[in-house]
Amino acid sequence: MKKLIIASTSTLYNGSYLEYLMPELQQFFNGIKKILFIPYARPGGISHDDYTAKVQNAFSNIGIEVTGLHSFEDKHKAIAEAQAIFTGGGNTFLLVQQLYRFDLIGSIKKAVEQGTLYLGTSAGSNITGLTMETTNDMPIVYPPSFKTLGFVPFNINPHYLDPDPGSQHMGETRETRINEFHQFNSQPVIGLREGSWLEVTGDTIILKGMLNARVFKAGKNPEEIVPLTDLSDLK
Amino acid sequence: MKKLIIASTSTLYNGSYLEYLMPELQQFFNGIKKILFIPYARPGGISHDDYTAKVQNAFSNIGIEVTGLHSFEDKHKAIAEAQAIFTGGGNTFLLVQQLYRFDLIGSIKKAVEQGTLYLGTSAGSNITGLTMETTNDMPIVYPPSFKTLGFVPFNINPHYLDPDPGSQHMGETRETRINEFHQFNSQPVIGLREGSWLEVTGDTIILKGMLNARVFKAGKNPEEIVPLTDLSDLK
């Protein structure tokens, strides 16, 4: 049975890396000794080794060992044998390009559908949707496809930002961008504010954290949903 | 000889469409009676006809007739015969996808290199750089390539935004995103703030408007440049 945590962000303002999620992760990873970390999104260009060390540092607190997928010769085997997978944030275009480069989409899908635990933050959450077409990231590299893992039957917009009423900036708001997405795509989009996450258990999807989320459906007005809303029927 | 205006935005806060640029455009389009408008970026999903009417409305003030490229059966002929081309803002992924769909990149390049005037705003400016890989837009559709027109030998980041020191949002700043771009790409990027534009006359490139711009080069600290800086050597 699929089990995922799909988090908007790894880090809250004034918090340390994964700090706000740790109580939840301690439960989620209960009994797990090792996590396979996918470092390919490389936030700010950090190296795979440094990124993995940062994640190891956070998980040391709950006694979990972290290994980076980049360090395995046979990445398919590493994924198939993993008890749990964590894909960190950074640049979604880069992450998806690397997943296709090593032909890992199918392997990750198979493992998670068979019960390997999956944690995503930011870009690592984006790829759990049907496509990466609602990322906020800059297209710094050209991936061979925008199709992603499809663990949920909709798209994710992490780091969801409400329009700033005081702003004099004329670039599109996040809501305008998602409306533009819906001119060409029919799947719903969930805007997850920083501090929210989705908990997926089999076919059940629940909004967790303290904040409302915003659900966008093609041709409809967006809706605010409260924590603990069951999103299992969203598609 | 190439002649372009590459503007960060069409519209300033509290201004009307193209208003702040109109004095400049009146000079730039001196003697021109007709502009061919490329409406494919469709901001907010506006129709090609409505977008063209909006542009016509702005140019009526200076007695210029606007026709939309979408209304021509033979788009290559329309481009080859145009006195001036204006590509409006919206979604860069959509714009580039459409340009490739109708195989227009070569036609526009040829016309502009032979002296057809070119005005771009926002997405229409983005595509004058080497690639669209420093756009701020959401990847709502999948273009067959990120390569663009290359009228300048660097990349454009329109609507450039300085980090907000009061922000508690944890998404990447624009500068972080451009630094990530430079992990994988060597060309410089110019961040054009809203109200700035580049004036290109042959091989001469000048920063215009009242604001500084920010120049990013791979592996170097970013530089602020003042209005009227000559950027002809930037590559």
Side-chain angles (χ1 to χ4, degrees), chain A residues 162-183:
Chain A
D162 293 290
D164 172 0
S167 173
Q168 304 195 350
H169 188 70
M170 300 300 286
E172 291 86 351
T173 64
R174 192 68 60 79
E175 183 157 328
T176 299
R177 295 176 192 279
I178 295 171
N179 287 338
E180 289 178 357
F181 170 80
H182 275 145
Q183 297 280 329

Side-chain angles (χ1 to χ4, degrees), chain A residues 11 13 44 94 133 136-144 146 159 161 168-171 177 180-181 185 194, chain B residues 11 13 44 133 136-146 159 161 168-171 177 180-181 184-185 194:
Chain A
T11 313
Y13 184 71
L94 177 58
E133 289 170 306
N136 313 307
D137 295 338
M138 197 170 258
I140 61 173
V141 295
Y142 186 71
F146 285 164
H159 299 282
L161 250 191
Q168 304 195 350
H169 188 70
M170 300 300 286
R177 295 176 192 279
E180 289 178 357
F181 170 80
N185 301 275
E194 295 177 345
Chain B
T11 313
Y13 184 71
E133 289 170 307
N136 313 307
D137 296 337
M138 197 171 257
I140 61 173
V141 295
Y142 185 70
S145 169
F146 286 163
H159 300 281
L161 250 190
Q168 304 194 351
H169 188 69
M170 300 300 287
R177 294 175 193 279
E180 290 177 357
F181 170 80
F184 300 95
N185 301 275
E194 295 177 345

Side-chain angles (χ1 to χ4, degrees), chain A residues 15 44 54 79 113 138 147 201 220 223:
Chain A
K54 179 179 174 172
I79 290 167
E113 271 152 18
M138 197 170 258
K147 283 206 187 113
T201 314
K220 304 221 168 128
E223 280 172 72

